Amino acid sequence: MALYVYKFGGTSVGNVERIKAVAEKVKRTHDLGDQIVVVVSAMSGETNRLVALAKDMQQNPNEREMDVLLSTGEQVTVSLLSMALHELGCDSCSYTGSQVKILTDSSHTKARIRKIDDARIRNHLNEGKVVVVAGFQGVDENDNITTLGRGGSDTTAVALAAALKADECHIYTDVDGVYTTDPRVEPKARRLDKITFEEMLEMASLGSKVLQIRSVEFAGKYNVALRVLSSFTEGKGTLITYEESQVESALISGIAFNRDEAKLTITGVPDLPGVAFKILGPIADANIEIDMIIQNIADDATTDFTFTVHRNDYQRAKTLLDKTCADLGARNVTGDDSIVKVSIVGVGMRSHAGIASTMFKALADENINIRMISTSEIKISVVVDEKYLELAVRALHAAFKLDQEIES
Amino acid sequence: MALYVYKFGGTSVGNVERIKAVAEKVKRTHDLGDQIVVVVSAMSGETNRLVALAKDMQQNPNEREMDVLLSTGEQVTVSLLSMALHELGCDSCSYTGSQVKILTDSSHTKARIRKIDDARIRNHLNEGKVVVVAGFQGVDENDNITTLGRGGSDTTAVALAAALKADECHIYTDVDGVYTTDPRVEPKARRLDKITFEEMLEMASLGSKVLQIRSVEFAGKYNVALRVLSSFTEGKGTLITYEESQVESALISGIAFNRDEAKLTITGVPDLPGVAFKILGPIADANIEIDMIIQNIADDATTDFTFTVHRNDYQRAKTLLDKTCADLGARNVTGDDSIVKVSIVGVGMRSHAGIASTMFKALADENINIRMISTSEIKISVVVDEKYLELAVRALHAAFKLDQEIES
């Protein structure tokens, strides 16, 4: 007898028929004798409807009240799914985050889970019931309702799987697994049977939005075996594992990309200690997130400094940087908001040399000019002109033979 | 400084604009320095929407899950109203039934309140906040969400007023008070400044559906001063008080009526002990509620037995009674499902003779035939043919001079 935590997102429970289909899927596994906890999100569209109501009420809705409001979305879904299970003759019981209880800190709209009480859920599982839990929500120590932020249902599922020491945590989505890259850009993209947590983290943070990053971190930290599967088709999906159990010998696992980049350069900055802080401090103070940072020595006395930000923040960042340029007596500020970032990700590059040169050669062969380079232990990112995005992804996909199944 | 509990029903919070209007009304009183707890229902239409979803899921929805589902309706309203108050610069805090906590028994969909913890609410009131509480819902001792049944928000408001020893509990509805009778039937109907709890109970149970009966019982038991007012217009409404503080010297306070009646008669029943139980037992076993009961001696050995039921139960009751008739060897069963009940209600009739004869004369003057009569300490009810309903109400309204203001 295994214990599984299943998570179904908003699209998977988007209407009456889909909730019934989820109930049937759950019942099939439950009938095999396994114990199942199901975590569900709000029905798709519901959260947006509630947010719109809130904005009608208050320009900047009070965050505590926002959590009270939004948490009703999952509460509706858990009760409906539990009813659908009852209708199939499958005994079940629904839980809100407060009922579990999923204790969080008091950071409304972006709370973090502190502790999960698994006693009640275990009792119901041992009685043979399917337990249906509202994702995305918790409760602080004063019984205030909190939410974990958008996508927080993944985190709920992983945290429950950790607390219950579940055999696997299944994240059902509208894709049937993690792909070597976005199939809309490269039709030859291939579903991976396995991917490591670290690779998944890099892929997720780079825009392959299959899973919420925090849930992957959580799964890694608490040793939860995560599997991404499709709600709508059968299949084994992609298992997200530790490197130790990684059997594929691929050098790299996938190609991630991010369209929403912009870069800013300040040149001729007097090269003195503390200059990086003087440049980036005002940007950070304005709550603008900085991604890549590169500093070059231009000549003996000055330095050039380049960084990337989200495209939405480009104008604000440029205005701040112009002021810094004047303050520091630097030469000038240039920028470009039609760039993209393309990254290759893989734990294999730790132990293999030549990955970077393969990447750069593939891009050079297509006459794609690299504007910036940044590397981490398991990732190499390049910034290129926006117009080259698709070409770069396909060239790299081919160069690393990602369309070919690896023999294990 | 006074403490008020306000209750706004579904129509009063039916859309964004109305919720904002409620917030403004609440703020006006709060600005005068009074402490205010607001109890709200689900936005009108929301409960029906949720019930329809539930029925799509399960033919007879699981009652525990139904409560989880329905309680989201008020949870949405409390958060929205609290946001609207914040927007007006009025500090406030919302509560679900579970957060208060409003402890009930475990009778899902029709739970009864056992205990209210007022500590948290008091703290927030003392901090100068308006406290917004979800009506209709509570929580049992195992943290299961319960609901009090339709109209339960009135009960929540009265129970909170009792627990907090509020100065008054205001029930805001779409009518501006309790009337001497339904103004749609008698345009001369007059709003009463005051009515006693007992009269209100009789009026409510007879179909003047301004307040839920249980909330009136609760208010009487816990000495809560209740006032019924309009959400949409200004005015003092109707205060529901104890007889002691009743200053109007009216003989009767109002005329109630009920259109949904049907009557059944079984004749020639052998007059033996236990015969009433043999006739009514099967009806009660079928969960059919019996209203009036009259037994006449027909001759030495047999008796005629008449009772009324809700019109919807008429056919089922008749089928059962036909069987009883055969079993008992009674003569026959007759029935009529086009009758109505008209009642005069007033504590004044305790101390005044001649009320009944005034009533019967008024009906006789209009040639209205009385089919049944039933009396209680503060009420006289008659059953008449449906076609006479409006005529009877107007005749009695005039006979007891209910259109005239009483000097106090």
Side-chain angles (χ1 to χ4, degrees), chain A residues 20 56 65 94 99 143, chain B residues 20 56 65 82 94 99 143:
Chain A
K20 286 182 177 175
D56 279 346
E65 301 304 341
S94 74
Q99 285 174 317
D143 284 348
Chain B
K20 287 182 177 175
D56 278 346
E65 301 303 341
S82 183
S94 74
Q99 286 175 317
D143 283 347

Side-chain angles (χ1 to χ4, degrees), chain A residues 351-363:
Chain A
S351 47
H352 286 77
I355 302 273
S357 59
T358 303
M359 182 184 197
F360 301 151
K361 179 173 186 306
L363 297 172

Side-chain angles (χ1 to χ4, degrees), chain A residues 20 56-59 62 64-65 68-69 71 75 79 82-83 86-87 94 99 120 142-143, chain B residues 20 56-59 62 64-66 68-69 71 75 79 82-83 86-87 94 99 120 142-143:
Chain A
K20 286 182 177 175
D56 279 346
M57 284 301 154
Q58 196 180 3
Q59 220 165 2
N62 179 281
R64 179 190 182 279
E65 301 304 341
V68 173
L69 181 67
S71 64
Q75 190 169 328
S79 60
S82 183
M83 287 175 191
H86 276 285
E87 183 74 0
S94 74
Q99 285 174 317
R120 281 187 180 160
N142 293 315
D143 284 348
Chain B
K20 287 182 177 175
D56 278 346
M57 285 299 154
Q58 196 180 3
Q59 219 165 3
N62 179 281
R64 180 189 180 281
E65 301 303 341
M66 197 64 166
V68 173
L69 182 67
S71 62
Q75 190 169 328
S79 59
S82 183
M83 288 177 192
H86 277 283
E87 183 73 0
S94 74
Q99 286 175 317
R120 283 189 178 158
N142 293 314
D143 283 347

